[in-house]
Amino acid sequence: MADDLNDATDDEVSESSEALIAVHWREEGYYQPPASFVEQANASDPAIFDQFSEDKFPECFHAYADLLTWNKTWHTTLDTSNAPFWKWFVGGELNACYNCVDRHLPTQANKAALIFVPEPEGEAHAAITYRELYVRVNEFAALLRDFAGLKAGDRVTLHMPMVPELPVAMLACARLGVVHSQVFAGFSGTAAGHRIADSGSNVLITMDGYYRSGDLLDHKVKADEAVEAAAKEGQQVDKVLVFRRYPGQYSAETPMVEGRDFFVDELLKDYRGTEVEPVSMPAEAPLFLMYTSGTTGRPKGCQHSTGGYLSYVAGTSKYYQDIHPNDTYWCMADIGWITGHSYIVYGPLALGTTSVLYEGTPNYPDAGRPWRIAQQLNVNIFHTSPTAIRMLRKVGPDEPAKYNYHFKHMTTVGEPIEPEVWRWYREFVGKEEAVIVDTWWQTETGGFLGSTLPAINPMKPGSCGPAALGIYPVILDEDGNEVPEGSGKAGNICIRNPWPGVFQTIWGQPERFVSTYFAKYNKNPESKDWHDWPYFAGDGATQAADGYFRILGRVDDVINVAGHRLGTKELESAALMVNEVAEAAAVPVIDDVRGRVVEMYISLKPGYAASPEIEAKVKTAIETDIGKIARPKNIWIVPDMPKTRSGKIMRRVIAATSNFTDTGDITTLANPEIVEKIRQQVQSAKHAKGEVPRELSEAELTEIKSFGSE
């Protein structure tokens, strides 16, 4: 972003920083945690804040590391010698799988570790005890080691839906020290192929099919696409390991490839009862890669460590999720995202609790499904996204009252939640019995950065709360000046210090790691002092006088669709694969249910005329390259794009058009006359479709106004 500013005109620079001037929030009132929750909470003594105060950093995080079992104790808590490539608990050794499975066997072998809920309601739930999980993980680890030839340090790509085989595969990799890279099942085979190539995987683990909205989807077809896409980038996949949704019965129409594709349930017969000694790994050894969208076409493989990451998700699961071993915990996210890694698999299992996996869509076959599941399984901790909450509120506002479940704790994650939606969540879903934590964090951070500590801090709708324990944030303006709390002004939220959950690097792109996350506010690239390396989160925020943060959303060009971050450059690159397309620009549109949806603007090469066929090609290209989650709501073929004199497409202008807001000053554009033509074309078409403007909040207006203004 800083590099682009160097090329911008004075008008563009002033426009960029104008978004930081003022945000007029109506501060909400406080809600106190229920007394019944406080009585049983893992953290109810305010003295914990002193334990994690800055003068006790970094040793304060021993409290998190001590939740784990170590084979060898560390000699250095935080190594800053190669800043900002931080190393935590250096000299320590442990195994993540052992910490999530083996060590619970002496006391709770027969307790459910995972409960799988299939989407078809006629299929029985499957409870997998810690003993059964141990057996399954060991057998699959033996298969990976002996049949697939994988060893510590190798990478393997998983393209798996929400089924028990996914955490089994992840934990089997962790047992061997193999680095796993799980790709969200909704992503296309091509997207998986890009990630296979980037990570250097030669083994793909996948599934024949899974249920989504009542349909048994052919997922195996994506494996063939992935292998082909990886090959185009020079990465060969030697083995494709295919789990079957129904063992012994193939649920896909796509044929298996002789010599490359293998059914896991058939191979496992050779490994029954095999036990694999967990490999003791250095704390700083990578545990997994989690790819996230960026503002360039190449995805970012966020590399997370073993010791630091596992410590951080165990600690935040205990204190912020308030997970006890006897809880039944349901995070209704997807393991294809960091939330699922941290708060379905590694955090809850490290604490020895029961974690629920649900295969399908939350409103199938109707909006009462989540609450039926909660009642059937006696779930007492519930964790989901504002997108899911908005959707369930829209399609079944009265459904929760029909079911006899009782949550003690509810989480919201992935994007800011509107105060009115928060209140519905508390009153109707939580039945005014549950405490709510509204968390702010990112793929890159491993775990929560901002949240109320549920038994101590009061809740405030629309605010994620103060910083998490051991996290020291600051809001900075574009020049690096601190934006004071209570000022009503917004800026870039940064974290001044390292923390154990922070990712180690971008796989294969260390320079991008530094330039994207640390260079913006670093004044001395040679410094080994962590104080000189604030982490640039890329989110705008304000801080109220009480210290609570309100997150405004991305300051870069990433569109958050239903909690899924989609890079505009990836969307635009896919559209530009269509031969007729000359230029493409993706912009966000405010949506009541999904939070944001994508609209795509394209201009055509000379000699081509706008047509529904070209629109269909663009839509297909995006679905093929990224996945259906990225499908644009509308595709607008326009005569030209609004551009600066240097040729930069002004995305904020077309974003404003799509959202029926003021386009602002356009006098500095090279072609200001095009703006009115686009406005008439797009807004008249939207009116014809019944898409009417709605009043946007200050935060939404700020987001649209600043979108694309780098």
Side-chain angles (χ1 to χ4, degrees), residues 165-177:
E165 289 81 359
L166 174 51
V168 165
M170 291 166 60
L171 292 164
C173 290
R175 195 169 193 83
L176 299 171

Side-chain angles (χ1 to χ4, degrees), residues 481-502:
N481 301 309
E482 186 169 341
V483 178
E485 64 181 45
S487 66
K489 295 183 179 180
N492 298 317
I493 188 168
C494 301
I495 309 300
R496 294 190 294 106
N497 63 300
W499 63 97
V502 70

Side-chain angles (χ1 to χ4, degrees), residues 38 96 164 181-182 192 230 275 339-340 376 398 410 419 429 507 514 538 557 579 584-585 589 663 665:
V38 175
S181 169
Q182 156 68 2
E275 294 189 350
T339 298
Q376 290 161 355
D398 301 321
M410 305 191 304
V429 177
W507 180 263
V514 177
D557 287 354
N579 181 57
V589 176
T663 55
D665 181 15

